[in-house]
Amino acid sequence: MTEAAEQQLTETVVESFAGTADPRLRELVTALTRHLHAFAREVRLTEAEWSAGIAFLTATGHLTDDRRQEFVLLSDVLGLSMQTVMINHAAHGEATEATVLGPFFVEDAPVVESGGDLAAGAPGEPCWVEGVLRAADGSPVAGARIDVWEADDDGRYDTQYADGRTAARGAVISAADGGFRFWALTPTPYPIPSDGPVGQLLAATGRSPMRAPHLHFRVVEPGYDPLVTHLFVADEDLTYDSVFGIRASLVHDFVRHGGPTPDGRAVDGSWTRVDVELVLAPAG
Ligand code: BEZ
Ligand code: FE
């Protein structure tokens, strides 16, 4: 009897949305209702747990503003961001696979000349990145803006610096043959922001806030599917990533060297080199 009444409530709520004019919105609110009710019934949600959940979401909202998006971070650690990326960027031949954007992308970062140094004084081991941008049919993509950003050796993005300077971030423009090259930093592990409700959730569930070391790329070029991706470092621990962004195809060798550098730049100590091919899928 209880079960039938619970099921009936779900149907009544679903029916309350029957007049939704937009069919896609109707589909979304109907499925959301069914899944939320099924969750509550499956776990036999207590009123104290319902209250704790509301308090958690309220705290998440209070921490969210123009600069800090705790809701996106929540979506990230629940794997919802990555699931949405995978749904919307299905594999297209050999096109580079997509992963999460994260909160540290900045529009209109400065363009650095070919072979320039994106690190701009950020602490870390120099890394020479050399690559080619091409279409899935093999043709080079010339003149495209390639945005790159990463955390420094202290685990911080420049947007987390107090002085607002740009470092370990910038854009390069692909050459006529699709080639690009620049200095950056060898990526190292760093924690996602964990001083808020999402950090409390990770702590309460025994999960680490650490991200697997990576270098971010974004290419938005007319005629192609926008590409948001990372390069992950093969030598590092790739058994865990707090936002589930690792894809095997994105793991690259960052080969460590000492001595002469590809462009003759004098580097004190070791540096690494990674070679990458970014392949854009056709739009749509
Ligand atoms: C990042 O890689 O920058 C990132 C992604 C998701 C959440 C936090 C940080
Ligand atoms: Fe990152």
Side-chain angles (χ1 to χ4, degrees):
M1 183 57 208
T2 311
E3 207 182 311
E6 288 172 1
Q7 184 62 47
Q8 183 52 53
L9 175 62
T10 303
E11 296 310 322
T12 303
V13 178
V14 165
E15 279 162 28
S16 77
F17 290 119
T20 307
D22 179 339
R24 177 61 174 167
L25 178 60
R26 185 165 65 244
E27 182 181 359
L28 293 174
V29 291
T30 297
L32 180 66
T33 300
R34 290 198 188 287
H35 286 275
L36 276 178
H37 284 225
F39 161 75
R41 293 208 303 269
E42 179 185 323
V43 302
R44 308 309 301 166
L45 189 69
T46 69
E47 287 174 320
E49 288 161 349
W50 177 88
S51 290
I54 295 293
F56 178 84
L57 292 175
T58 303
T60 301
H62 282 157
L63 201 57
T64 298
D65 59 20
D66 291 350
R67 295 173 56 88
R68 171 94 181 242
Q69 237 303 352
E70 193 75 358
F71 274 115
V72 175
L73 202 60
L74 178 58
S75 162
D76 293 340
V77 302
L78 292 176
L80 179 60
S81 306
M82 193 58 197
Q83 190 71 266
T84 307
V85 165
M86 290 169 84
I87 291 165
N88 286 278
H89 301 272
H92 176 94
E94 51 174 319
T96 303
E97 290 190 300
T99 187
V100 289
L101 176 67
F104 299 116
F105 171 70
V106 171
E107 289 283 359
D108 301 323
V111 173
V112 168
E113 78 282 6
S114 180
D117 184 11
L118 262 64
E125 181 186 41
C127 174
W128 176 256
V129 182
E130 183 146 349
V132 63
L133 180 68
R134 67 173 178 84
D137 67 4
S139 55
V141 177
R145 178 186 169 101
I146 303 168
D147 272 281
V148 182
W149 67 106
E150 64 179 329
D152 67 18
D153 236 21
D154 299 327
R156 290 192 306 156
Y157 281 83
D158 59 359
T159 51
Q160 298 170 305
Y161 295 171
D163 63 5
R165 72 185 188 280
T166 297
R169 169 188 314 279
V172 288
I173 307 295
S174 59
D177 62 356
F180 59 88
R181 52 199 58 79
F182 56 88
W183 283 101
L185 300 172
T186 311
T188 50
Y190 71 89
I192 62 170
S194 59
D195 56 343
V198 169
Q200 287 165 9
L201 175 67
L202 293 178
T205 53
R207 279 180 52 186
S208 162
M210 297 308 285
R211 285 225 59 199
H214 59 272
L215 181 62
H216 292 259
F217 283 86
R218 189 185 88 141
V219 183
V220 178
E221 187 61 11
Y224 299 97
D225 198 9
L227 175 64
V228 173
T229 194
H230 299 355
L231 299 187
F232 290 95
V233 183
D235 279 352
E236 296 276 357
D237 180 5
L238 299 178
T239 55
Y240 178 80
D241 181 30
S242 53
V243 303
F244 308 98
I246 302 172
R247 309 185 86 165
S249 69
L250 304 181
V251 177
H252 283 66
D253 288 325
F254 284 67
V255 183
R256 186 154 284 110
H257 299 271
T261 54
D263 64 345
R265 174 188 173 190
V267 169
D268 251 357
S270 66
W271 52 278
T272 60
R273 173 185 176 132
V274 62
D275 288 89
V276 56
E277 199 176 45
L278 297 177
V279 183
L280 301 181

